[in-house]
Amino acid sequence: MTGRAFFRAEGEAVLLFVRVTPRSSRDAIEGVTVDAAGEARLAVRLRAVPEDGKANKALVALIAKSWKIPKSAIEVVSGLTMRQKTLRIAHDSIAKILRDVAEAKGGSLS
């Protein structure tokens, strides 16, 4: 993959770069994808509609449930109204979780 990895460390937290597809038939983390700019992102499908913050809340809930971390540890820091979002995740086990995702989905750790 070219460009940056789909996540990077930021102090005690991790920034996670996500591409959301709202109004999907199911909620699912699809894996790592590369966008048109050559940047790696975690592809996520959500049933929620992108209005009144519903998709953002669904995204946080899905990540929290899938990775067994509290919702309070996850914050949408950019892209509130866009498909491409950046999440800040402050949790002790997040680095291991993301390494596992990268290895399983062919992602990059650079």
Side-chain angles (χ1 to χ4, degrees):
M1 281 187 204
T2 60
R4 68 178 182 219
F6 71 98
F7 67 93
R8 77 167 186 258
E10 182 186 70
E12 303 262 331
V14 171
L15 294 180
L16 178 66
F17 308 107
V18 180
R19 181 169 195 301
V20 173
T21 303
R23 295 187 179 118
S24 181
S25 61
R26 63 192 171 99
D27 292 336
I29 297 173
E30 296 285 302
V32 180
T33 187
V34 178
D35 67 17
E39 302 295 331
R41 294 191 173 271
L42 189 64
V44 177
R45 294 187 174 278
L46 299 170
R47 290 183 302 227
V49 294
E51 54 190 46
D52 300 325
K54 291 176 185 174
N56 291 330
K57 288 177 187 172
L59 173 62
V60 168
L62 177 63
I63 296 291
K65 181 179 178 183
S66 297
W67 293 345
K68 296 175 179 58
I69 57 177
K71 288 188 266 187
S72 61
I74 305 169
E75 175 186 9
V76 180
V77 293
S78 72
L80 288 171
T81 61
M82 301 171 60
R83 289 178 185 246
Q84 296 182 348
K85 302 179 182 297
T86 302
L87 303 180
R88 183 178 186 277
I89 305 174
H91 193 268
D92 296 341
S93 62
I94 194 64
K96 182 194 178 310
I97 291 167
L98 291 174
R99 276 193 298 274
D100 292 347
V101 170
E103 290 170 8
K105 301 297 183 181
S108 170
L109 292 173
S110 57

